[in-house]
Amino acid sequence: MLDMAVLWLLALAPISALLLLPMLAKLKLAWVWLPRSALLIFQFIFCREYLENITAVGPRTVGSPENEILTVNYLLKQIKAIEIESSDAHKISVDIQRPTGSFSIDFLGGFTSYYANITNVVVKLEPRSGAKHAVLSNCHFDSVPNTPGASDDAVSCSVMLEILNTLSKSSDPLQHAVIFLFNGAEENILQASHGFITQHRWAKSIRAFINLEAAGVGGKELVFQTGPENPWLVQAYVFAAKHPFASVVAQEVFQSGIIPADTDFRIYRDFGNIPGIDLAFIENGYIYHTKYDTPDRILTDSIQRAGDNILGMLKYLATSDKLAKSFDYRHGNVVFFDVFGLFVLAYPARVGTIMNYIITAVTVLYLGKKILQPRNRAINYMKELSVAFGFTLLSWFSTFVTVLIVAVFISLIGRSLSWYNHFYVSIFLYGTAAAAKLILAHTLAKKFYYKVSYLGEIFFDVSLLVWSIALVLITQLGLCSAFVCAMWVAFPLLTKLLIYREFKQKGATIRFVMIYMLGMFIPYLYIMYLTWTIFEMFIPIMGRSGTEIPPDVVLAAFILSSTVILSSYFLNFIYLAKSTKKTLITLTTVFGVTLILVCSGVFFPYSSDSANPKPKRVFLQHVSRRFYGLNGNLVKSDSGIWINGLDYAGISHITPHIPELNDTIRTNCEDKAPLCGFPWILPVHFLLRKNWYLPAAEISPTNPVHFKLLAKEQMPWDSMKLTFEVSGPSHMSLYIRPHERSTLSSWSLGDGTPVASIGGDYFVFYAHGLQAVAWRFWIELKAAEKHSDGMVSLAIAAHYFFGEDQKSPQLYALMERFPNWTFPSGWVCTYDLFVF
């Protein structure tokens, strides 16, 4: 008979695992970093100085003097100093590129980008005799407005400077060139990388790239994208990275579009047809793109670790024979994952497919042996297995419904994100609810349906069957993440075969249980490790995922999935226990107390703790809007401060501090205006449908927008061509809406084919660096007949992210009133609508 304490341990295994995740993560860091720290301080001692000097200039928005002059001059000065001290074995070439171009991208529902005279600092390190092929290392030195951008991405540029310094001083010549691209317009949705890879004279020599990014502040840099279809690059990482942290699961999650983000990896892959590796810091995403992203929050260990890994990779690739023939090694995907940060396992996806089917076949043989028994026993086993299989699925479904009802209830009463600043609240609320419901369902089945109590064997087989089916399905979908299911089938099955003992109440000794637990230890620990990585990425994202996605529902679903996975092979112990009453009472009590505390508002979502801030993000735009009619007359105008809270809670937590910000000033959509008549900097209107508009004084920027129609031409193919010229600040957004029975057939942007955003309007993101000429473009429209209200509406929004026009006195005064647990990011903008 099992001891009750052991039963509690087994029943609460998933809860215990989720609660131990942060500790596991910290232990993992210690294992990885301690052996190398002494060596790396010497090699990368100047990185922090670079980082502090780059961020000292302040926010580096594209077009600002801080980005285009101060940072560029600093980089050039450091590169020149490195060149002076470089070895005679190498040659360093420097180029300042200021490209102009346009492209369309399906990110954020699809839009088109146009850039003019933005800045790239490009450095080529090559053998004295020159090199035909090159590997690219990419970072970006620009930042989003109002943030210092230490982790995103000044630290990567600092690491690259020191790697350039280290490689250039080496007396060993390289076989291939290393190109260091310090790109100055990544936050403008990947503009600078596009300008480089499509226009720079060195771009054609590049055979592979490493992209350095951030989705958090410091920590470990995760390899979350590779390829496409270049297993040799992953093998290079396996060989060269001294502190590996990589996951094909992260790659497939990111490329699914679930995470609303993108990197320069896409540009090099899609427009350059070049294979590469994408790395990003993912720890502490709560302060990513906020004023708290400062150099002091990035640990020296993070810088050392990243530098060691990237230096090793670049050294390996720059001396590899495979680089020159990289396209010859383009054959299939690769399964890769690190084992607790100690080493990386990588093998071709086709090998993984074979392994998955072999594991499935062994499972079929194991279950088939039980079916091929004497007739009566086989029929009874099949019946019991089918019933148990159906009941397991039913218990999962009922648990799913129960937990989601709780999450929806929390969202409806306005208590969402209570766990944002208190990780354990989510486990105590949704984890205990899931575990209690699962245990209750099986307890009821045991009491009222099953007449015998020796069912541990059957429910073990059910778990094996479920995960085998999942393994086959995921493998059939071509997903490399199937290795997780393979692990979750192979280890339990191997353990069971080695034990040679059925899960029977009389034979289930403590010794047997401990052997079983040891067999499950490796897959269980890895699932915990992977779960925490996903937690670490996703929870901070919930604070900037918009007003339309209920974060509690998302997190509850994730915790529920984790609970189901982690409890799969332990629920069978319920059928070995005499009673689960105390376990259920404990779980229910914890859930009930947590629910009461959450509903009463005890757990405030945000924090202003200087050591560990978790701010609420709010965008404030002081906008003046003007709407013009077909004849050019001003139809109406207004001014106000347009407010967007970036999470599901909107501004409900801010209203008690600033009473005039309440639901009485919710915005109304201008139905006839593109994007509802508001100045979106990016086409994220479908994510932020709840926003507020506080009336304010009219603004008059010193550098206003000038928008004019230059030409109107009837084309021979029965379409109308309209040519426009626009001048204004460094950032502008153009919105186009063809009227009913009119279509936008072509334009001078992107590849010439208009790309509509979600909702049907056309969105063009425009940015320029210094000394850019006026922007000229044309559109071509076709109409079935003449319209009294015109053919098309065009709106131009101008955004003032820096300089004297950035903030009005009224905007500044309002921002000063925001509580210290918020991060209000504000700027001035204008919106002008024209009809033609």
Side-chain angles (χ1 to χ4, degrees):
M1 181 71 69
L2 282 175
D3 184 84
M4 185 57 67
V6 176
L7 171 64
W8 283 7
L9 175 64
L10 295 173
L12 295 173
I15 305 299
S16 304
L18 291 173
L19 291 174
L20 289 171
L21 287 177
M23 285 185 281
L24 174 67
K26 293 186 182 299
L27 285 173
K28 175 180 62 182
L29 291 182
W31 299 341
V32 173
W33 284 348
L34 287 177
R36 292 272 172 183
S37 59
L39 294 174
L40 294 176
I41 287 175
F42 173 77
Q43 293 178 352
F44 296 98
I45 195 170
F46 296 112
C47 282
R48 185 161 294 281
E49 181 182 345
Y50 294 145
L51 174 60
E52 290 174 352
N53 287 335
I54 291 173
T55 55
V57 304
R60 302 171 302 283
T61 311
V62 172
S64 68
E66 290 80 5
N67 191 69
E68 310 298 330
I69 299 174
L70 297 179
T71 305
V72 170
N73 287 346
Y74 176 77
L75 291 172
L76 293 176
K77 180 181 178 181
Q78 301 309 312
I79 293 166
K80 184 63 177 177
I82 292 170
E83 183 179 6
I84 292 172
E85 297 182 5
S86 64
S87 166
D88 291 337
H90 309 289
K91 179 173 65 174
I92 294 179
S93 305
V94 184
D95 185 50
I96 307 299
Q97 183 199 23
R98 291 193 167 88
T100 296
S102 181
F103 63 97
S104 295
I105 189 171
D106 60 3
F107 178 53
L108 294 177
F111 66 96
T112 300
S113 182
Y114 185 95
Y115 54 89
N117 215 39
I118 57 176
T119 305
N120 281 321
V121 178
V122 195
V123 184
K124 180 161 71 170
L125 177 72
E126 60 184 332
R128 182 63 61 179
S129 58
K132 184 178 179 181
H133 308 288
V135 56
L136 171 70
S137 181
N138 176 79
C139 72
H140 68 91
F141 57 84
D142 66 312
S143 70
V144 295
N146 304 315
T147 68
S151 69
D152 188 23
D153 194 30
V155 66
S156 297
C157 292
S158 303
V159 168
M160 275 176 44
L161 278 173
E162 185 57 26
I163 290 175
L164 172 62
N165 183 37
T166 303
L167 289 176
S168 67
K169 288 180 178 178
S170 172
S171 58
D172 298 327
L174 301 172
Q175 182 178 345
H176 308 292
V178 181
I179 295 175
F180 296 87
L181 173 58
F182 301 88
N183 95 52
E186 188 273 347
E187 298 296 356
N188 280 15
I189 314 300
L190 322 178
Q191 290 178 337
S193 56
H194 182 270
F196 171 78
I197 206 65
T198 59
Q199 299 178 40
H200 200 278
R201 65 184 184 278
W202 294 341
K204 292 182 180 179
S205 67
I206 296 171
R207 300 292 175 264
F209 70 89
I210 299 175
N211 183 50
L212 314 181
E213 256 298 347
V217 179
K220 309 171 300 301
E221 75 289 352
L222 171 69
V223 173
F224 66 100
Q225 289 192 98
T226 66
E229 298 186 344
N230 276 266
W232 72 276
L233 267 178
V234 177
Q235 293 297 340
Y237 179 81
V238 171
F239 181 84
K242 295 181 174 64
H243 313 291
F245 185 40
S247 175
V248 72
V249 176
Q251 172 174 294
E252 291 180 343
V253 168
F254 188 83
Q255 293 181 349
S256 71
I258 294 175
I259 299 176
D262 220 327
T263 74
D264 288 321
F265 181 96
R266 171 197 280 260
I267 298 297
Y268 299 131
R269 179 195 66 195
D270 295 352
F271 293 93
N273 195 30
I274 302 170
I277 291 182
D278 213 358
L279 303 98
F281 295 108
I282 63 168
E283 188 175 288
N284 199 7
Y286 298 99
I287 57 177
Y288 166 77
H289 280 189
T290 73
K291 65 182 180 181
Y292 300 105
D293 184 10
T294 52
D296 58 291
R297 297 184 187 277
I298 303 176
L299 298 177
T300 300
D301 283 339
S302 295
I303 300 173
Q304 293 171 346
R305 173 197 165 93
D308 207 17
N309 283 343
I310 297 158
L311 174 61
M313 279 286 294
L314 289 176
K315 275 185 175 179
Y316 181 89
L317 293 174
T319 55
S320 170
D321 293 331
K322 290 183 177 181
L323 185 73
K325 303 175 182 178
S326 63
F327 291 102
D328 295 342
Y329 297 95
R330 196 166 190 165
H331 50 82
N333 293 318
V334 62
V335 179
F336 62 92
F337 56 94
D338 71 283
V339 181
F340 311 120
L342 301 174
F343 58 90
V344 173
L345 287 179
Y347 48 89
R350 59 183 182 276
V351 173
T353 299
I354 295 170
M355 291 170 55
N356 294 345
Y357 286 129
I358 289 175
I359 292 170
T360 304
V362 173
T363 304
V364 170
L365 289 174
Y366 165 79
L367 296 175
K369 181 182 177 182
K370 297 188 175 185
I371 296 173
L372 298 175
Q373 301 181 83
R375 180 179 177 83
N376 289 339
R377 292 182 63 186
I379 291 175
N380 287 337
Y381 175 78
M382 287 289 291
K383 179 182 177 182
E384 289 178 356
L385 184 67
S386 299
V387 171
F389 180 81
F391 182 76
T392 298
L393 295 183
L394 182 62
S395 70
W396 287 352
F397 177 76
S398 63
T399 302
F400 182 83
V401 171
T402 301
V403 174
L404 287 193
I405 287 175
V406 175
V408 170
F409 171 73
I410 294 296
S411 301
L412 291 176
I413 65 172
R415 297 301 183 189
S416 62
L417 293 167
S418 58
W419 37 264
Y420 191 68
N421 186 36
H422 312 274
F423 166 74
Y424 293 107
V425 172
S426 63
I427 307 302
F428 290 144
L429 184 63
Y430 300 122
T432 55
K437 185 59 186 287
L438 283 172
I439 294 173
L440 177 62
H442 286 274
T443 300
L444 292 175
K446 174 186 172 184
K447 182 176 181 180
F448 295 108
Y449 180 80
Y450 291 111
K451 304 302 181 184
V452 295
S453 56
Y454 305 111
L455 295 166
E457 177 87 2
I458 286 293
F459 279 91
F460 174 87
D461 292 350
V462 166
S463 296
L464 205 61
L465 179 60
V466 168
W467 292 114
S468 296
I469 293 172
L471 175 59
V472 171
L473 291 176
I474 296 175
T475 302
Q476 283 292 314
L477 291 172
L479 297 176
C480 295
S481 300
F483 82 89
V484 177
C485 291
M487 184 186 300
W488 210 228
V489 172
F491 278 88
L493 179 59
L494 181 62
T495 302
K496 182 67 168 57
L497 293 176
L498 290 175
I499 289 176
Y500 287 113
R501 185 191 290 266
E502 293 187 349
F503 287 84
K504 291 186 176 180
Q505 191 175 17
K506 294 180 180 179
T509 63
I510 295 296
R511 179 176 174 274
F512 166 73
V513 171
M514 295 311 297
I515 294 173
Y516 181 77
M517 292 286 285
L518 284 174
M520 294 295 296
F521 179 74
I522 293 177
Y524 205 86
L525 193 63
Y526 183 78
I527 294 294
M528 289 169 60
Y529 176 87
L530 184 62
T531 300
W532 177 248
T533 300
I534 298 174
F535 259 117
E536 199 168 35
M537 292 175 62
F538 266 95
I539 291 182
I541 289 174
M542 292 295 97
R544 56 181 190 270
S545 59
T547 61
E548 303 308 298
I549 302 172
D552 274 68
V553 173
V554 175
L555 186 64
F558 179 58
I559 292 176
L560 173 60
S561 301
S562 301
T563 304
V564 166
I565 294 170
L566 292 169
S567 66
S568 297
Y569 290 100
F570 294 102
L571 287 175
N572 37 35
F573 286 95
I574 294 173
Y575 295 90
L576 306 178
K578 182 178 181 180
S579 172
T580 59
K581 184 176 180 180
K582 291 183 179 179
T583 304
L584 283 171
I585 290 174
T586 301
L587 290 172
T588 305
T589 302
V590 173
F591 165 73
V593 171
T594 306
L595 180 63
I596 292 170
L597 293 175
V598 168
C599 292
S600 62
V602 170
F603 302 110
F604 191 67
Y606 315 106
S607 170
S608 59
D609 179 11
S610 59
N612 188 27
K614 293 176 181 177
K616 177 180 179 62
R617 301 161 189 258
V618 184
F619 282 171
L620 299 98
Q621 296 166 242
H622 191 167
V623 57
S624 284
R625 303 191 300 171
R626 292 173 290 271
F627 299 82
Y628 296 92
L630 183 59
N631 58 3
N633 62 310
L634 181 64
V635 176
K636 68 174 181 176
S637 65
D638 61 33
S639 295
I641 297 176
W642 185 45
I643 303 164
N644 279 282
L646 299 194
D647 63 38
Y648 189 75
I651 61 169
S652 59
H653 294 95
I654 298 173
T655 300
H657 300 268
I658 310 175
E660 61 265 37
L661 301 186
N662 55 61
D663 281 343
T664 64
I665 58 168
R666 280 279 296 273
T667 56
N668 295 313
C669 180
E670 297 282 348
D671 293 330
K672 294 185 178 181
L675 276 72
C676 285
F678 285 98
W680 296 97
I681 183 64
L682 289 172
V684 292
H685 50 288
F686 60 96
L687 294 174
L688 297 166
R689 296 187 186 278
K690 301 184 189 76
N691 34 66
W692 295 260
Y693 194 55
L694 180 68
E698 185 177 355
I699 52 171
S700 300
T702 58
N703 180 26
V705 166
H706 296 284
F707 184 90
K708 58 183 176 181
L709 175 66
L710 295 181
K712 182 177 180 181
E713 182 180 1
Q714 183 71 43
M715 306 304 290
W717 41 87
D718 196 28
S719 65
M720 182 67 69
K721 181 178 180 181
L722 304 176
T723 303
F724 300 94
E725 182 179 272
V726 188
S727 62
S730 63
H731 290 73
M732 293 185 285
S733 304
L734 173 70
Y735 323 120
I736 304 174
R737 174 181 290 183
H739 293 181
E740 190 176 355
R741 295 185 298 278
S742 296
T743 57
L744 180 61
S745 57
S746 64
W747 58 9
S748 59
L749 306 170
D751 62 1
T753 302
V755 173
S757 297
I758 291 177
D761 294 334
Y762 296 84
F763 190 104
V764 182
F765 179 87
Y766 169 88
H768 70 70
L770 299 178
Q771 300 174 345
V773 298
W775 175 30
R776 288 191 179 186
F777 67 93
W778 56 261
I779 62 173
E780 213 170 280
L781 298 122
K782 290 186 177 181
E785 57 187 58
K786 290 186 177 181
H787 304 289
S788 58
D789 60 347
M791 297 175 63
V792 63
S793 294
L794 285 88
I796 186 79
H799 302 270
Y800 299 85
F801 285 133
F802 56 86
E804 59 180 335
D805 288 332
Q806 182 183 5
K807 291 178 183 175
S808 65
Q810 192 168 353
L811 175 61
Y812 183 82
L814 180 62
M815 291 175 63
E816 286 291 298
R817 296 173 59 195
F818 272 70
N820 58 4
W821 42 262
T822 64
F823 170 60
S825 181
W827 65 93
V828 161
C829 55
T830 60
Y831 178 99
D832 294 279
L833 174 70
F834 304 91
V835 179
F836 298 96

